[in-house]
Each structure stands twice: as C-alpha cells, then as structure tokens.
Amino acid sequence: MANKYFDSKLKIFALNSNKPLAQKIADEVGVELGKTSVDRFSDGEIRINIEESIRGCHVYVIQSTSAPVNDNLMELLIMIDALRRASAETINVVIPYYGYARQDRKARSREPITAKLVANMLQKAGITRVVALDMHAAQIQGFFDVPVDHMMGAPLLADYFINHGLDENAVVVSPDHGGVTRARRLAEFLKAPIAIIDKRRPKANVAEVMNIIGDVKGKRCIMIDDMIDTAGTITLGAQALIDAGATEVYASGTHPVLSGPAIERIAKSPIKELVVTDSIQLPAEKQIDKIQQISVGPLMGAAIKRIHEHKPVSPLFTNRFNVINNQ
C-alpha cells in the first residue's frame, strides 16, 4: 500500500466485478477498502449492506459493468441508492469498463441508445461524478450532466512498449477509421507513424479487411483498439499486416472482453503478444501466454487522489504514466 491517506472522509468501496483491481486502486490511494457485503436473496435479488458509517464522506465505488453486465450494473445502482440514503457527501462511480458503450447512437431505425439509458439510470440513482476508462465513444461523456473524468489507457500501454524496447522501427496501426484518434495518441507517445486498416463489417462481430493505408513493410506493427471482444478485427488485421510485409505484429487494447472464439483466434493468429489492462478481470481459462495484462490501478488511484485534492487530472492522459507524478 502507498503511504496511508489521512483524510478519513475519503472512502473506497469494491463491488463484485473486479475486486483485485479495486484493491490495487485502494493501495495506490493509501486507504483500506470500505466494509460492505454484497450477496443475494434466495430468488437471486441483490442485497447490499454497507457495514460502516459513510455520513458526510466522499465515496468512490469501483465497479466495471462487464459480464455479467446486467448483474454488475444492478449491483452498482443498488449501491448508489444505499450510499445516497446513508448521507454520503459525494458518490463517485469509478467504472474501468463501461458496458453498453457500443450502443451510443441510432445506427438504424428503432434502435435504442443504451449508453444514454445507462447514464440516465446512474444519474437518477444519485451519482455525483463518473471516472471512466477508454469509453468506446467519446460522446458518452456528454450523456451525463455530472462531471466525467475520462481516463486513457494509452499512457500505460506506451510505457509497456517503450520499457520492452518495442517502440523501435514501429508503426502504430488503427484497426479501423474510427480508431485513428486513439492510434495517433499512442503514436505520439512512441514517436512512431500510424497506419490504418480499411475494412468493412458485414454484420456485428464480423469484420472483413480490405486494404492498408500507410507503410508497414519491414516494420514492427502495434495495433491498438479500445476493446478486444471476439478478436476478429485484430486477428484478421494482424494477418493482413503480415501479408503486407510487416516483420511482426503486436496488439493492444484497454478492455479484454474476449468473448466467444477470442482466445482461440488469438492463439492461432500471427500476433506475437496482446497487451491489455485489468479493467476487466480475466478468468484463468483466458490467461494464455500471448496475453500480457498491465494494471490500471495506479492510474485510477492517482485520478481519485487528484479529484479529492482538487488537482487537475489532465496530466494523467497527456503524459506517459511514469512521469505524471512529478507534475
């Protein structure tokens, strides 16, 4: 644990989605995790009990709304209601992975905008602030009428690649046009050029690579995306990069959703290494040799301390993580 944080009004609570990450965040801040129990009635209804006073406290709740997304979202909503009724001064939800973020607009007739619905529910329950990590669409910040601190995984991923000497002769590759901004951010940290994979998606979770925009021949390619779900995009992209003359391909993503055939696809692909964060807790069966997981605990913990102390959080996503604490 970092040096003990002496403000007794700062409380951090963990729900069930990712307790190891919550512990790392609490250790970074220098506080003990708050005492709470989350269990169920016999019919499956969620029951939460906060086992210490939080009256007048600034509370941070750590919960990724990852699979099982509906259970984890409901846990979070019930916890927010409990905190509000127990007279917490502020209720800050720390959501390393924001579920339903892909439904951020109406792509066709009669579709819901579920990312906005989730924002409405969180606000109605009584939140004061959101701290999130690499939301799928930047405009989701605007779905909230409370402050949103939108943290970025790129500084942590950049540290990994630089510390392992993988930034030499590298080109950062966006797997589609929508990810160019994310790729450019990582490229700035690595001082590398970018390339774009131009693809079309016939239907959900099915991607077809068309061609590559940029020079990748003889280069070490580092693909970056916000989430890795079925891994169809990155594995097809990796093969296309090898076919175009890349010497080796690495992939990175903030959120390791890794559903369906993802693990098998990654294992069989030409990707040398997939670097992800622990925004989503990986079960043992998904922890294969090709997947390297780095922790966002120090980043999220630093954000909580800065927010609580009324300091700017911008250094946390404008600089590589290993230099931010000097600012």
Side-chain angles (χ1 to χ4, degrees):
M1 181 183 289
N3 292 332
K4 186 174 180 181
Y5 201 82
F6 289 102
D7 189 344
S8 61
K9 292 297 184 181
L10 173 60
K11 303 278 189 180
I12 297 178
F13 288 91
L15 297 178
N16 282 335
S17 71
N18 198 334
K19 287 187 175 180
L21 174 57
Q23 186 63 62
K24 291 174 184 175
I25 293 172
D27 289 346
E28 176 66 24
V29 175
V31 301
E32 298 287 339
L33 280 175
K35 297 176 182 177
T36 185
S37 62
V38 183
D39 52 22
R40 293 175 182 271
F41 292 101
S42 59
D43 64 352
E45 291 178 359
I46 297 165
R47 177 173 57 186
I48 289 178
N49 183 44
I50 301 168
E51 298 174 350
E52 61 183 88
S53 174
I54 49 89
R55 183 178 298 275
C57 291
H58 300 280
V59 178
Y60 292 80
V61 182
I62 316 297
Q63 178 82 327
S64 284
T65 50
S66 50
V69 58
N70 297 330
D71 288 353
N72 287 332
L73 177 59
M74 200 65 201
E75 271 186 20
L76 180 56
L77 291 168
I78 294 170
M79 181 65 169
I80 293 164
D81 186 72
L83 292 168
R84 180 172 57 84
R85 295 176 187 276
S87 301
E89 180 71 18
T90 61
I91 302 170
N92 309 275
V93 292
V94 181
I95 310 177
Y97 173 70
Y98 186 95
Y100 286 114
R102 284 173 285 191
Q103 300 180 45
D104 62 303
R105 67 195 187 281
K106 286 189 68 172
R108 57 180 64 87
S109 299
R110 297 174 295 281
E111 274 195 338
I113 305 178
T114 319
K116 171 61 173 169
L117 173 63
V118 170
N120 289 345
M121 290 192 294
L122 291 171
Q123 290 180 122
K124 188 66 176 177
I127 63 170
T128 307
R129 175 185 294 270
V130 175
V131 183
L133 177 69
D134 272 338
M135 290 178 171
H136 184 65
Q139 67 262 26
I140 294 174
Q141 296 174 77
F143 293 173
F144 290 89
D145 294 321
V146 297
V148 177
D149 293 293
H150 188 200
M151 312 311 299
M152 301 293 173
L156 290 168
L157 297 171
D159 268 354
Y160 180 90
F161 290 118
I162 291 171
N163 293 339
H164 288 78
L166 299 174
D167 56 322
E168 298 178 9
N169 193 37
V171 57
V172 177
V173 181
S174 173
D176 52 36
H177 292 279
V180 171
T181 300
R182 188 178 302 108
R184 187 174 290 117
R185 188 182 301 274
L186 180 61
E188 289 171 354
F189 287 126
L190 301 183
K191 296 180 172 56
I194 70 169
I196 304 167
I197 296 176
D198 180 30
K199 65 179 178 64
R200 61 184 175 88
R201 188 184 297 273
K203 57 184 179 180
N205 293 328
V206 177
E208 180 178 340
V209 174
M210 300 297 287
N211 53 50
I212 296 168
I213 302 168
D215 181 18
V216 300
K217 188 173 183 180
K219 300 283 189 178
R220 173 185 290 123
C221 291
I222 300 175
M223 300 176 68
I224 182 169
D225 210 343
D226 64 318
M227 69 174 72
I228 312 297
D229 189 354
T230 61
T233 295
I234 61 164
T235 52
L236 286 172
Q239 187 59 57
L241 292 168
I242 292 294
D243 293 344
T247 56
E248 55 185 13
V249 177
Y250 290 79
S252 60
T254 305
H255 307 301
V257 178
L258 301 178
S259 63
I263 297 299
E264 182 181 0
R265 285 174 172 174
I266 292 165
K268 293 180 178 179
S269 77
I271 294 171
K272 291 199 68 173
E273 202 170 67
L274 171 62
V275 184
V276 296
T277 79
D278 58 351
S279 66
I280 297 174
Q281 187 176 358
L282 284 185
E285 63 270 18
K286 294 184 179 181
Q287 297 176 17
I288 62 173
D289 290 341
K290 273 191 178 184
I291 297 177
Q292 299 296 322
Q293 200 167 26
I294 57 178
S295 182
V296 298
L299 176 67
M300 306 304 276
I304 289 172
K305 284 194 290 187
R306 285 174 175 268
I307 292 165
H308 189 67
E309 296 169 358
H310 307 290
K311 293 180 179 179
V313 298
S314 55
L316 298 176
F317 48 83
T318 57
N319 298 287
R320 280 178 54 205
F321 187 71
N322 64 356
V323 300
I324 60 174
N325 290 324
N326 296 323
Q327 301 193 23

